[in-house]
């Protein structure tokens, strides 16, 4: 029986989405993993909890373009999940101007200021909705906010 380096048993049935589509799982450093399949956006809230994360607040960080395309769907997924479970983390949303020009200290500070103004603590987590600049800024902000909080990368 083969086991992955992250301890997951590879002999079990493949992981599937709620719609029954097979999810490709790629182990990376430590317990981190990459999941690839259509339709995962609406499953992010459930998968965050299944991974053992129990954030008091979730900050969805995105650029204005990606937020306009996918932000409402992700918020709705979190709200639906919270309704099913009888509650969930506080949900916050921050979007900045799209483009490489936004990858700077001022944007990082603006995200942190937003989180501080909304009383985000070490039990908060960031969901980076978008790749590239979004992933870079959200990941760096998460790694330095209050000595580090979890980040979930959702590249689009």
């Amino acid at each position: 029986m083969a086991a992955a380096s992250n301890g997951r048993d590879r002999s079990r049935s493949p992981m599937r989405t709620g719609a029954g589509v097979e999810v490709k799982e790629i182990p990376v450093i430590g317990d981190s993993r990459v999941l690839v399949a259509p339709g995962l956006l609406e499953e992010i809230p459930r998968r965050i909890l299944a991974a053992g994360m129990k954030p008091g607040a979730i900050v969805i960080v995105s650029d204005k373009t990606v937020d306009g395309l996918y932000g409402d769907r992700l918020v709705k997924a979190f709200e639906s999940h919270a309704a099913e479970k009888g509650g969930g983390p506080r949900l916050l949303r921050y979007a900045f101007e799209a483009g490489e020009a936004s990858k700077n200290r001022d944007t990082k500070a603006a995200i942190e200021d937003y989180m501080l103004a909304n009383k985000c603590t070490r039990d908060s987590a960031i969901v980076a909705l978008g790749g590239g600049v979004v992933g870079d800024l959200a990941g760096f902000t998460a790694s330095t906010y209050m000595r580090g909080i979890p980040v979930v990368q959702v590249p689009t």
Side-chain angles (χ1 to χ4, degrees), residues 31-73:
D31 289 336
S32 297
R33 57 199 172 121
V34 174
L35 303 179
V36 181
L40 285 176
L41 187 66
E42 284 77 15
E43 295 188 12
I44 288 171
R46 179 179 65 80
R47 290 180 181 276
I48 284 175
L49 292 178
M53 291 177 62
K54 295 182 178 29
I58 290 181
V59 183
I60 300 170
V61 174
S62 192
D63 69 35
K64 291 180 180 179
T65 300
V66 174
D67 183 67
L69 294 170
Y70 302 104
D72 289 341
R73 281 178 52 197

Side-chain angles (χ1 to χ4, degrees), residues 41-42 44-45 48 53 55-80 89-96 107 110-112 114-115 118 120 124-131 134-135 137-139 141-142 149-156:
L41 187 66
E42 284 77 15
I44 288 171
I48 284 175
M53 291 177 62
I58 290 181
V59 183
I60 300 170
V61 174
S62 192
D63 69 35
K64 291 180 180 179
T65 300
V66 174
D67 183 67
L69 294 170
Y70 302 104
D72 289 341
R73 281 178 52 197
L74 185 55
V75 167
K76 184 177 177 188
F78 274 107
E79 290 171 347
S80 295
R90 274 187 317 128
L91 193 58
L92 302 165
R93 191 170 172 182
Y94 186 89
F96 55 85
T107 306
I111 296 167
E112 291 169 331
Y114 175 78
M115 293 174 67
N118 283 281
C120 293
S124 302
I126 290 178
V127 172
L129 180 59
V134 172
L137 272 169
T141 302
I149 61 173
V151 61
V152 176
Q153 297 278 352
V154 185
T156 53

